[in-house]
Every structure is written in C-alpha cells, then in structure tokens.
C-alpha cells in the first residue's frame, strides 16, 4: 500500500518527530511504500492564495504533487502537537491547499457548495497522532476535544475516509523516558494494526 505520512512540528528533536519516524519505520517493516512530508523541513507555504480558490485553476507544481499523492494514498497518517486545540498553522494551510475540491471532495451536479459534499479520497484508513500537555479529561470536558471533531468529522469523514483512529499522547512535558518509549510502542502497534504486513489489499 502507498501510505502518506504528514508531520508538522518545527523541532526535529521533538517527540512528534520520534512518532513520525516510528510510524514510517513500522510501515516500511510491513512492506508498504511511504511518502513522508516534514512540512517545516520542506518549508511548505501554508498561505492559500486567491487564484487557488476556484476549483478549475492552474496549481503550482508542489501543490499538484501533494494533491496527487493524497489522492492516490491507500492510507494517511498525520502527526502534530496540540497548539491551541488546533494543528500548527503550517498544517492548517496544507489542508486548505491540498484537501481541495475535486481532489479530496466534490459537490454533486447542481450543488454550488451549499449541499453535502462527496468524499473522493480512496484511503482505506486515516490515523492522527497528537501530543499535548493537557489531561485527557480536561481536553474533553473543558475544551470539547476540538482535534477529534476537526480530523474525524470535518476532514476525514467529509473526504470519504471513514476508518479513522486518533491518539493523543499526553502529558508530554512531565512524561518520563519510559513513558515515551511505551507511547512509541503504541504507535508501532496502531500502525501495524491499520496497515499490517499481510494486508490483502497491498498494492506494493
Ligand atoms: C503555540 C503553542 C500552543 C500550544 N497549545 C497547547 C494547547 O492548547 N493545549 C496543550 O495541551 N498544549 C499546548 N501546547 C503544548 C504542546 O502541545 C506540547 O509542547 C507538545 O505537544 C509536546 O510535544 P513535543 O515535545 O513533540 O513538542 C502548545 C505549545 C505551543 C508551542
């Protein structure tokens, strides 16, 4: 299978980088082809310019490449920290520019965008790994767990990927080395479960 891994964290010593590395290694161990994007390292431009908003338009080559990759991905893994209950701006901008109409979703004939879109992504599953410094109960009860709503409802369900798994590793700031090693084993386990070595639908 072709799996796209998208990472948004500016520090390559961060736990987010460790999560992404672990996910990529596990995918490769299981025989999958991985397309890995470290959005900060490649200095992805998150600003959606006005000419890119119309559905029919000429896109810059780097955006075309991202769009082609996400359209053809059999699986998607996103890794980012919780910043104000949101992804870092660079990843929000990646969503704005790459998860675009006729790539990730479309509206039916006669629907100018007021109706319910049809998802176009063919990925069989999407996984989101997050990190934060908030206790899970507080994230859920006080903040409403906005990242769950965003990634599951607003993005992956809408774009046609209904098999969805998300894990928030927390509290990072007070975590021990052993705890973080345990979290990385969890990453291996989840990635192995959703994108296993003996997946019958493998396309490698
Ligand atoms: C701009 C910014 C905003 C943040 N907002 C939150 C937040 O809303 N909730 C939270 O629990 N942690 C927040 N944090 C803390 C990060 O989530 C935390 O440092 C990160 O998940 C730790 O992972 P890392 O070691 O890979 O950076 C924020 C950090 C930054 C830099």
């Amino acid at each position: 299978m072709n799996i796209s891994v998208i990472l948004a964290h500016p520090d390559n010593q961060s736990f987010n980088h460790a999560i992404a590395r672990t996910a990529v290694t596990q995918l490769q161990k299981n025989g999958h082809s991985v397309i890995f994007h470290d959005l900060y390292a490649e200095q992805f431009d998150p600003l959606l310019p006005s000419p890119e908003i119309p559905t029919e338009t000429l896109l810059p080559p780097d955006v075309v490449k991202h769009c082609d990759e996400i359209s053809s991905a059999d699986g998607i893994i996103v890794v980012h920290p919780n910043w104000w209950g949101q992804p870092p701006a660079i990843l929000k901008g990646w969503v704005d520019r790459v998860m675009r109409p006729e790539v990730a979703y479309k509206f039916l004939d006669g629907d100018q965008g007021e109706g319910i879109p049809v998802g176009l992504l063919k990925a069989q599953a999407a996984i989101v790994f997050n990190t934060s410094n908030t206790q899970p109960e507080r994230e859920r009860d006080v903040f409403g767990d906005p990242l769950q709503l965003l990634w599951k409802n607003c993005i992956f369900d809408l774009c046609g990927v209904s098999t969805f798994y998300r894990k928030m590793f927390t509290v990072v700031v007070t975590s021990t080395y052993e705890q973080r090693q345990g979290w990385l084993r969890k990453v291996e386990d989840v990635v192995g479960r959703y994108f296993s070595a003996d997946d019958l639908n493998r396309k490698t």
Side-chain angles (χ1 to χ4, degrees), residues 1-4 27-28 30-35 72-76 122-125 191 193-204:
M1 297 168 84
N2 296 315
I3 315 293
S4 274
L27 289 167
Q28 288 169 340
N30 289 1
H32 301 296
S33 302
V34 180
I35 298 178
S72 58
D74 301 306
I76 301 169
K122 67 167 191 146
Q124 293 170 20
V191 170
R193 252 188 302 132
Y194 282 84
F195 306 117
S196 70
D198 55 5
D199 193 317
L200 294 176
N201 297 315
R202 277 175 60 182
K203 297 184 182 86
T204 49

Side-chain angles (χ1 to χ4, degrees), residues 102 105-120:
E102 300 301 328
Y105 67 92
K106 68 172 183 179
F107 291 101
L108 295 174
D109 286 346
D111 183 336
Q112 298 170 56
E114 77 279 18
I116 298 177
V118 178
L120 295 180

Side-chain angles (χ1 to χ4, degrees), residues 73-157:
D74 301 306
I76 301 169
I77 300 179
V78 178
V79 183
H80 73 85
N82 177 359
W83 282 5
W84 294 104
Q86 304 162 75
I90 199 167
L91 179 55
K92 169 61 167 65
W94 179 87
V95 173
D96 291 344
R97 297 185 76 195
V98 175
M99 303 288 250
R100 46 180 291 116
E102 300 301 328
V103 170
Y105 67 92
K106 68 172 183 179
F107 291 101
L108 295 174
D109 286 346
D111 183 336
Q112 298 170 56
E114 77 279 18
I116 298 177
V118 178
L120 295 180
L121 295 185
K122 67 167 191 146
Q124 293 170 20
I127 299 173
V128 175
F129 291 118
N130 298 135
T131 61
S132 84
N133 288 338
T134 304
Q135 293 292 347
E137 300 72 28
R138 178 169 158 78
E139 190 65 36
R140 188 191 59 220
D141 299 340
V142 177
F143 303 119
D145 200 359
L147 287 172
Q148 178 70 13
L149 219 56
L150 174 74
W151 286 111
K152 185 177 183 338
N153 299 19
C154 304
I155 298 180
F156 284 118
D157 266 358

